[in-house]
Amino acid sequence: MTDLFSRPLSVISVGAAMFAEDIATQGAPVTHLEWSPPGGGRPDIVAALTTLSQPDIAARIEAANAEALERIIGSQPVLVGFAPALEVVPGMTKTTILHAGPPIEYERMAGAMKGAVTGALVFEGLAADIEEADVVARSGTITFSPCHEHDCVGSMAGVTSASMFMHIVENRPYGNRAFTNLSEQLAKILRMGANDQSVIDRLIWMRDVLGPILREAMISAKEIDLRMMLAQALHMGDEAHNRNNAGTALLIQALTPHILNSSFSTKDQQDVFNFVLSSEYFSGPTWMAASKAALDSAKGIKDSTVVVAMCRNGVDFGIRVAGTGDQWFIGPAQFVEGPLFAGFTVADKGLDIGDSAITETYGIGGFAMACAPAIVPLVGGTVSEAIEYSRSMMQITTATNPNLTIPILGFRGVATGIDVRKVEETGVLPVINTAIAHKEAGIGMIGAGLTHPPLEAFHEATLALAASF
């Protein structure tokens, strides 16, 4: 024992970081191993995990997860058109407003979502102004429903109304379709909660000019292979959630000859190109719809523990799991940590919001930040941390996707197929990079950063999965 304390120590600290910090303060080398009990130590979650680990049940789960991953990885999302939501979205009516995240009533909505809802009602002619729109929204005459329950996804507030033009993405091997509306490009936009006349005027132009031009262009183009284009964008420096410079260049390149051959005036065509030039986010929704199409192909595979949706409405964070179909598992939405635009403080931040975490669910976005070191100034952190996020997500996924690879990691596929059990067992939560909307309606985007789902949502899913066996 005396000899032990006379030699230099090299310490491994497991669990609480404070022990490692104390040792480091005393000048001793220490390696901290982050660890927490499975399920956060909750007896009911530990019991559920024990049920799921029984050999016969585990074998059923592995078979189901293999099928889910085969469908997700084998999916080939193809852009086949653009059309107004009323024409193509299942269940859409003139008085339906779709929103991001799990179900929520208007009275509980976050400020950004209320701002987007009231702006959409004015845009649709269902209210004369924002004040009247608030009355209409509370009247019971409007149907509010999550985008995910209509084969859709929506950025940030995700508010989608009947006249808005939608991407139509078809998953060729499996035949399912997914939809999302068009990017408004700028920071002061409806999806961020802004709703003044400039926002409404832009939506009108998108309905009357941008959408119809894109529809005519796609009639000419017939289809665009999004999986191939996405793979190329990742190799060019995108992560396809918040950095879309390459994806937007590739998408508009594919559309340009068909836009130029459209029946619209040169002025209208120039306006479309200038609009795309205003922001690289033009292709952001495209990758969301592609991700949704791929993941929906695995929905409903009995016994699977693979997550097929993560989304948030600014109040609640919801996930869906392949083996439990359309059931929602919900926890509290989190704050997003990252740089804010000049003039804003942490007191201005709204909680995490949007369906765009469908990209991380698929394996891109925060899971593919190693592809996009240039995203660091937007969301915070360092390049080495961005690379480590892509590595660490392997701990909670079931496979890698060979169709979407990361050059700096030796062209390893992106981590794909979040497994509820692995999240519970490791305590590692999926990483999401995302924009930050102001907590009040009418203002818009104020920054960007990183966040994680609440563990509570995974706890709910774990209990439901265990109860299903």
Side-chain angles (χ1 to χ4, degrees), residues 207-228:
R207 179 195 66 198
D208 296 345
V209 179
L210 176 63
I213 284 182
L214 292 176
R215 172 161 58 182
E216 190 172 319
M218 279 306 304
I219 291 171
S220 172
K222 294 184 174 57
E223 63 180 48
I224 294 174
D225 185 337
L226 295 181
R227 190 178 73 179
M228 183 179 296

Side-chain angles (χ1 to χ4, degrees), residues 295-319:
L295 290 159
D296 271 4
S297 70
K299 191 171 63 174
I301 295 177
K302 183 176 171 53
D303 300 336
S304 175
T305 57
V306 170
V307 177
V308 292
M310 298 192 296
C311 58
R312 48 271 207 259
N313 56 34
V315 177
D316 303 316
F317 194 114
I319 69 172

Side-chain angles (χ1 to χ4, degrees), residues 2 10 54 73 103 160 168 181-182 186 244 251 362 398 461:
T2 302
S10 182
Q54 293 177 10
I73 292 172
T160 302
I168 306 170
N181 50 10
L182 302 176
L186 307 173
N244 294 285
L251 182 59
Y362 185 42
T398 58

